[in-house]
Amino acid sequence: MAGNLSTPGASVASRVFALLGAFDAEHRALSLTALAERAGLPLATAHRLAGELVGLGGLERRGDRYVVGRRVWDLGLLAPVQAELRQVAAPFLHDLYAATHATVHLAERAGAEVLYLDRLSGRATVPVVSRVGGRLPLHTTGVGKVLLAHAPDDVQRAVLAALPRVTPYTITQPGRLCEQLRRVHREGFAQTVEEMSLGACSVAVPVRGPDGEVVAALGLVVPDLRRGRARLVTALQVAAAGIGRSLPAESSSPGELPLSESSR
Amino acid sequence: MAGNLSTPGASVASRVFALLGAFDAEHRALSLTALAERAGLPLATAHRLAGELVGLGGLERRGDRYVVGRRVWDLGLLAPVQAELRQVAAPFLHDLYAATHATVHLAERAGAEVLYLDRLSGRATVPVVSRVGGRLPLHTTGVGKVLLAHAPDDVQRAVLAALPRVTPYTITQPGRLCEQLRRVHREGFAQTVEEMSLGACSVAVPVRGPDGEVVAALGLVVPDLRRGRARLVTALQVAAAGIGRSLPAESSSPGELPLSESSR
DNA sequence: CCGATCCTCCCACTGAGCGGAATCGCCACA
DNA sequence: TGTGGCGATTCCGCTCAGTGGGAGGATCGG
């Protein structure tokens, strides 16, 4: 927390990540000045470091803008975030899409947010705000509710303590959400109705690994849930079961998902 | 700058990337010792730096192994490698898969290699060695031949100068390959027959941006090409045209930066 | 022409980073 | 229970890589 990166005491590594972290979905290309500012580094320092990163492939220069380099993309693909799960799940997402033509989501919980691992949408039918690699609140999305329902107590408490409103239909009362989470356990699926974005509803089910642990959630986004919900849930459950069965004995027993992993 | 990373003179940034670069598709999890060795760093240095990177999210620790961190995955998704192209192409790859049930590839040229941007394969039908983010030789793959045929002269020369054999059917004679490249221009598609892996054939077509430039290649891998090749080529061409048409007026051509908002 | 904005380069100071060496913890084998 | 090997961790004093203020250039626009 805290320390200004430009004050002595900051490591070079942290500066490197500050530079890379200056980029986000809305800022994929930055001028040197913008880069320095967003990274909280003095211009000269940013300039030198950025130059070095370009040499290493961590950044790329396009005209007078910097963008994240291909090397980072390469490396990111090696991250275990997706290594097994995405690979295994891909064909099933596919089948789901073929069967429903809805937007298909594969997500896991990252701290107190949903992290979208994969998304599959044909031509956009419904407004969908998710993005692969993107994060959204747990309480406003179908996959989020599923993951929240199966999250450790401390995470549930933390999330329930603050339920920001996103649309007029967002559930902001802890009691109501709590009841819904219980229902997720009881019925095996979660749903949302315009709680994240108007005109979009979703259903989702848990994906369980070989040992019964909930490792991810699988969801669909549709314009309307009133008819055909049962069909969608069934399709989801079939796919989720298939994914779970295809997952190897999984290695990641050692603890992860601490609630407070984010550095800022 | 080729020096040993452990000798004074190496920058911290280069050491950071040396650590990250120690991972590859076959080494997704490394012990500290292995990490240090592969990165070419003294153990103590690797230990300290790795610890720092874990704190920054660049690495993750699982038991006594290190893996690439989620943060890197996040950042990688911001790289322009795929930003536009993959997004736009996804539904078309999809359609192709639905129509052919073959493994579908989207690739671009990275130097003297094919870089696979996306891959879509149902349950494996044919042995396929590609991997998203992976690289393969230009002369042994369908997409590679397409990209090579449309590559600048110097790249062609460099590739033709050394054609390593991969299977007994790999084309290693510059003359024959050259002839094939001419045919790619003439006929608008390329093919391979067990030149990369036995039992796998492929066809591929170029994807052209709005300005006619070849920005990528689209390919299919099938067990046999003797019958139905025309159908596959047609499907590919339809999809490639669709992708090209959907691409915005920008391109991922090097050194040019178009697009995008500005910071202010 | 001049001022504003952004990029690039320089260079002397200094504390962050380095890494050899010692230590710890674990396991296998005797 | 001892012993030896292997890997992870910690320590600490030296030093050179990194820092960043500031000067200088390149554009742009009025």
Side-chain angles (χ1 to χ4, degrees):
Chain A
M1 47 193 71
N4 188 338
L5 287 169
S6 62
T7 56
S11 68
V12 179
S14 73
R15 280 182 251 246
V16 166
F17 274 80
L19 278 180
L20 291 174
F23 296 89
D24 63 27
E26 286 77 43
H27 302 82
R28 301 199 154 177
L30 295 169
S31 71
L32 176 61
T33 307
L35 184 57
E37 191 168 330
R38 289 177 57 90
L41 294 175
L43 189 61
T45 301
H47 176 255
R48 187 174 30 74
L49 251 187
E52 202 171 343
L53 286 182
V54 168
L56 292 166
L59 288 180
E60 217 165 290
R61 191 147 185 187
R62 302 217 168 163
D64 52 1
R65 296 290 182 87
Y66 291 89
V67 295
V68 176
R70 182 160 306 179
R71 179 107 182 256
V72 178
W73 181 69
D74 279 10
L75 290 168
L77 291 177
L78 298 174
V81 182
Q82 43 149 30
E84 215 62 61
L85 189 54
R86 272 192 73 185
Q87 191 90 336
V88 165
F92 292 96
L93 301 192
H94 222 240
D95 297 345
L96 268 178
Y97 176 72
T100 65
H101 279 84
T103 296
V104 184
H105 281 147
L106 178 70
E108 70 176 15
R109 184 174 61 81
E113 290 178 305
V114 197
L115 172 59
Y116 285 87
L117 297 178
D118 211 342
R119 188 186 88 171
L120 215 146
S121 58
R123 262 77 26 175
T125 47
V126 186
V128 177
V129 293
S130 63
R131 177 182 75 83
V132 174
R135 288 165 166 84
L136 289 177
L138 284 170
H139 70 291
T140 60
T141 59
V143 281
K145 284 184 188 174
V146 166
L147 294 169
L148 183 56
H150 294 91
D153 281 348
D154 57 334
V155 174
Q156 289 199 10
R157 265 196 303 277
V159 171
L160 285 168
L163 300 172
R165 177 176 297 288
V166 181
T167 75
Y169 303 102
T170 303
I171 293 178
T172 56
Q173 302 159 0
R176 266 191 75 200
L177 185 56
C178 219
E179 160 56 24
Q180 289 200 354
L181 296 184
R182 273 194 297 275
R183 193 190 293 189
V184 169
H185 277 284
R186 217 162 51 232
E187 303 186 341
F189 72 91
Q191 63 177 316
T192 62
V193 179
E194 302 191 288
E195 294 161 36
M196 182 70 225
S197 58
L198 297 176
C201 304
S202 65
V203 265
V205 303
V207 177
R208 291 174 188 277
D211 48 348
E213 273 291 291
V214 172
V215 297
L218 199 59
L220 294 172
V221 181
V222 291
D224 189 350
L225 267 179
R226 268 163 299 184
R227 64 172 193 129
R229 190 183 70 187
R231 190 178 69 89
L232 297 180
V233 170
T234 304
L236 280 170
Q237 283 169 337
V238 171
I243 294 172
R245 202 175 315 113
S246 311
L247 281 175
E250 199 47 40
S251 52
S252 57
S253 30
E256 56 219 289
L257 11 124
L259 178 53
S260 61
E261 188 198 322
S262 54
S263 34
R264 65 164 62 189
Chain B
M1 46 170 68
N4 187 337
L5 285 169
S6 63
T7 58
S11 68
V12 179
S14 73
R15 280 182 252 245
V16 167
F17 274 80
L19 277 181
L20 292 174
F23 297 89
D24 63 27
E26 286 75 44
H27 302 82
R28 300 198 156 179
L30 295 170
S31 71
L32 177 59
T33 308
L35 185 56
E37 191 168 330
R38 290 176 57 89
L41 294 175
L43 192 62
T45 302
H47 176 256
R48 188 175 29 74
L49 250 186
E52 201 171 345
L53 286 181
V54 168
L56 292 166
L59 288 181
E60 216 166 291
R61 190 145 184 192
R62 301 218 167 160
D64 53 0
R65 296 292 180 87
Y66 291 89
V67 296
V68 176
R70 183 162 305 177
R71 180 111 183 251
V72 177
W73 181 68
D74 278 10
L75 290 168
L77 291 176
L78 298 174
V81 182
Q82 43 149 30
E84 214 65 60
L85 188 55
R86 272 193 72 184
Q87 190 90 337
V88 165
F92 292 95
L93 302 192
H94 224 236
D95 297 345
L96 267 179
Y97 176 73
T100 65
H101 278 83
T103 296
V104 184
H105 280 147
L106 177 70
E108 70 174 15
R109 185 174 60 80
E113 290 178 305
V114 199
L115 172 61
Y116 286 86
L117 297 178
D118 211 342
R119 187 186 89 169
L120 214 145
S121 58
R123 263 107 338 204
T125 48
V126 185
V128 177
V129 293
S130 62
R131 178 182 75 82
V132 173
R135 290 165 165 83
L136 290 177
L138 285 170
H139 70 291
T140 60
T141 58
V143 282
K145 286 184 187 173
V146 165
L147 295 168
L148 184 56
H150 295 91
D153 281 348
D154 56 335
V155 174
Q156 289 200 11
R157 265 195 304 277
V159 171
L160 285 168
L163 300 173
R165 173 175 300 288
V166 180
T167 75
Y169 304 102
T170 303
I171 293 179
T172 56
Q173 303 158 1
R176 267 190 76 201
L177 185 56
C178 219
E179 160 55 23
Q180 289 200 356
L181 296 184
R182 273 193 297 274
R183 194 191 291 190
V184 170
H185 276 284
R186 217 164 49 233
E187 303 186 341
F189 71 93
Q191 63 177 317
T192 62
V193 180
E194 302 191 288
E195 294 161 39
M196 183 69 225
S197 60
L198 296 176
C201 304
S202 65
V203 264
V205 302
V207 176
R208 294 173 186 276
D211 48 347
E213 273 290 292
V214 172
V215 297
L218 200 59
L220 294 173
V221 181
V222 291
D224 189 350
L225 268 178
R226 269 164 297 184
R227 85 197 159 111
R229 192 183 68 188
R231 189 177 70 89
L232 297 180
V233 170
T234 305
L236 281 170
Q237 282 170 338
V238 171
I243 295 172
R245 201 174 317 113
S246 310
L247 282 174
E250 60 106 0
S251 76
S252 44
S253 48
E256 226 41 75
L257 164 109
L259 104 150
S260 186
E261 33 44 69
S262 77
S263 354
R264 53 195 81 204

